[in-house]
Amino acid sequence: VCSSDLLLFNYQKTDNWEKEKNDTFSTATLINKYDTTFSGTLNNWDDSDYFKILPSRAGKMNISFIHNVKQEYGEWRVSIYTYKNGSYNEISSTYIGKGDKNKIVLPAVGGSKGNAYYVIVEKYSDVVGEIYGISVNLPGSSSSKVTGFVNKSGTLKYYKNGKFASSYTGIVLGTI
């Protein structure tokens, strides 16, 4: 096998990956599990990812954005919207990049059962191909404490109790 025959790629085994095309409110990937990381990546300069949350009950939702961006100038714009009375309304917008912690808890949202909430991830500067994660916590729901994702260089990062616990570097990664 010569080097031109090798194919290198990032692999993450998960059932919780964004579903393309999820570039609009109507095609948003449904986040249907609490305390579980849903992974995504912006595939090109024009890509944006929409995630939809339908709270199972009223309460404060904590939405986290997990990343491992290395570029000095790589940055996402992460916005939260609600759909109420026939219109989409922005609740908050946050810019997240290398200078920020690897896990950012976005401004808390007072969720109401029956309302739809959306998390929109957009490229602000060079983060095309960078894998990120979104996790939603609704206190009182079941909880898992460890999440994992693979960054652009193929490094598996485990995130446990708000800190990176360990890492493994490889070309093709299997079960977390």
Side-chain angles (χ1 to χ4, degrees):
V1 175
C2 70
S3 63
S4 64
D5 294 329
L6 295 177
L7 176 63
L8 300 177
F9 60 92
N10 289 334
Y11 171 76
Q12 180 176 345
K13 182 179 173 68
T14 180
D15 293 328
N16 303 314
W17 193 265
E18 63 162 321
K19 309 292 187 245
E20 288 292 352
K21 281 205 160 269
N22 63 333
D23 302 342
T24 65
F25 289 108
S26 63
T27 60
T29 298
L30 180 63
I31 294 180
N32 56 3
K33 299 176 189 171
Y34 297 117
D35 298 304
T36 299
T37 300
F38 283 74
S39 299
T41 186
L42 299 178
N43 297 315
N44 57 56
W45 292 100
D46 296 329
D47 193 15
S48 57
D49 294 334
Y50 285 61
F51 294 87
K52 183 177 185 176
I53 306 162
L54 298 169
S56 58
R57 61 178 179 72
K60 181 176 88 169
M61 288 189 299
N62 299 304
I63 302 170
S64 299
F65 186 86
I66 304 164
H67 73 94
N68 196 31
V69 69
K70 297 289 187 207
Q71 295 99 325
E72 283 295 324
Y73 45 85
E75 200 170 35
W76 290 273
R77 179 178 187 255
V78 182
S79 304
I80 301 173
Y81 281 76
T82 184
Y83 181 76
K84 196 172 180 180
N85 300 326
S87 66
Y88 298 96
N89 301 294
E90 185 175 298
I91 297 172
S92 69
S93 182
T94 305
Y95 292 88
I96 300 169
K98 181 181 179 183
D100 297 308
K101 295 179 183 177
N102 293 104
K103 181 176 182 179
I104 303 294
V105 179
L106 302 170
V109 175
S112 298
K113 185 175 181 175
N115 286 343
Y117 298 86
Y118 296 85
V119 178
I120 301 172
V121 180
E122 301 170 290
K123 173 197 72 60
Y124 180 70
S125 61
D126 190 23
V127 289
V128 171
E130 292 286 345
I131 296 174
Y132 63 82
I134 293 176
S135 178
V136 178
N137 172 269
L138 183 61
S141 63
S142 63
S143 180
S144 61
K145 299 298 182 195
V146 179
T147 59
F149 65 96
V150 181
N151 67 14
K152 191 174 185 177
S153 67
T155 303
L156 175 62
K157 294 291 187 177
Y158 290 101
Y159 207 79
K160 183 175 182 178
N161 298 328
K163 297 180 183 174
F164 283 109
S166 64
S167 64
Y168 170 82
T169 302
I171 296 172
V172 178
L173 302 174
T175 305
I176 293 177

